[in-house]
Amino acid sequence: MKKHAPRILLLDSGVGGLSIYKSIKHLLPHIGVLYVGDNDALPYGEKSDDFILNRVIHITRHYELHYQPDLVVIACNTASTLALPDLRSATTIPIIGVVPAIKVAGEISRSRRIGLLATPATVERLYIDELQASFADDCNMLRVGSSHMVEMAEAKLSGDNLDMDLLKREIEPFLKNDIDTVVLGCTHFPLLHEELQSLGPNIHWIDSSTAIANRVQHLLKAQSLFCAPYPSSHTEIDSAEFTAEISDTLNKKLQQLGFSKIQDNRKELFNFNPNA
């Protein structure tokens, strides 16, 4: 019989996956999470496909061996589009990726004019065309790619002030084109939801975090691992590891979120040049 609560590995290029983490812990507070932020290679959206693929597989396999998770969440849209098939063929552990919530946008948009706000790499992916064709074929979809917003989300959690003028310029195309629903296609962007809502109060800003949490619950049940609450002696602590140094402010925020063990500057584990 399993002696510990279910535990999952949650991987992102930085702090964006914390938006997924919060939804998972809201639904499944008893499970243990190891959060890995590969901030030494941030942002993934500006790296080559081969670099992202090799890096994500390498990191996932490392923690699969040393942490032995019951489930892995690749909490990054860019990495999900590239690495999922290879990861799933290399392990028997269930792998969950992140898909932009275009289906939801197609269901709720009244104007039939929707937007996708993601990294430059994600907005150009063929699978975005396929998602739109499958779930929002009667909608006009405006795509906006932004790397600045990844940096802004990282800066926000590190305690820096946000440049609201820059943020407004990033989303200006949506404000000017009668877009009523925008999909946040990067897990960093929900961390800016409050600011986005203030700049675009008539827009529905939606993301995939709730759907991912529901998928985690479903797969844990399928493995007969879902049994809450677990005895306190079997409860897993939440840990966070980053491949580069993090700020004291971010460290404190992670503690507030519930992480009991936090390590940074772990780049020595991965023999990659993030600028390659």
Side-chain angles (χ1 to χ4, degrees), residues 2 4-10 20-34 67 70-73 96 212-218 220-221 225-231 234-239 257-259:
K2 194 175 181 65
H4 60 74
R7 53 192 178 193
I8 68 173
L9 170 65
L10 190 62
I20 303 292
Y21 168 81
K22 289 190 287 186
S23 289
I24 291 173
K25 293 297 288 190
H26 177 75
L27 183 64
L28 304 168
H30 67 288
I31 71 171
V33 176
L34 171 59
Y67 182 65
D70 300 297
L71 187 149
V72 175
V73 178
I96 297 175
I212 296 300
N214 289 334
R215 183 63 177 163
V216 169
Q217 182 184 57
H218 173 78
L220 291 178
K221 285 184 176 180
L225 295 174
F226 184 79
C227 181
Y230 274 68
H234 294 166
T235 298
E236 295 287 304
I237 66 170
D238 290 348
S239 302
L257 284 174
F259 290 98

Side-chain angles (χ1 to χ4, degrees), residues 102-212:
I102 292 173
K103 180 179 180 180
V104 177
E107 291 172 346
I108 69 174
S109 174
R110 293 186 176 183
S111 70
R112 313 315 292 161
R113 296 179 62 83
I114 64 177
L116 172 65
L117 181 59
T119 64
T122 295
V123 297
E124 296 177 358
R125 299 289 180 199
L126 177 61
Y127 90 114
I128 297 297
D129 297 328
E130 296 169 350
L131 287 173
Q132 182 179 3
S134 298
F135 302 116
D137 61 334
D138 65 332
C139 294
N140 292 318
M141 184 166 73
L142 177 61
R143 307 183 193 190
V144 174
S146 174
S147 293
H148 290 304
M149 287 181 57
V150 175
E151 299 166 357
M152 294 177 78
E154 293 279 331
K156 178 181 178 179
L157 285 198
S158 292
D160 297 337
N161 293 325
L162 293 184
D163 185 340
M164 293 297 288
D165 290 334
L166 174 58
L167 181 59
K168 185 176 181 179
R169 288 197 296 272
E170 294 294 285
I171 66 169
E172 194 71 34
F174 302 129
L175 303 178
K176 290 183 175 180
N177 286 280
D178 191 32
I179 305 298
D180 69 356
T181 306
V182 174
V183 177
L184 301 179
C186 171
T187 54
H188 277 79
F189 295 171
L191 300 174
L192 301 172
H193 187 274
E194 180 179 346
E195 291 80 8
L196 291 170
Q197 192 66 54
S198 70
L199 293 171
N202 297 321
I203 294 176
H204 292 285
W205 304 92
I206 60 176
D207 64 84
S208 303
S209 59
T210 300
I212 296 300

Side-chain angles (χ1 to χ4, degrees), residues 44-63:
Y44 277 178
E46 295 182 355
K47 302 297 188 295
S48 70
D49 289 359
D50 286 342
F51 174 86
I52 297 168
L53 176 63
N54 291 330
R55 183 135 182 139
V56 169
I57 290 175
H58 182 81
I59 293 175
T60 303
R61 294 300 300 272
H62 171 85
Y63 284 103

Side-chain angles (χ1 to χ4, degrees), residues 39 158 242 244-248 250-251 254 262-265:
N39 55 333
S158 292
F242 291 83
E245 188 176 356
I246 63 173
S247 69
D248 290 340
L250 177 55
N251 190 298
L254 290 167
I262 303 167
Q263 293 180 283
D264 65 359
N265 208 22

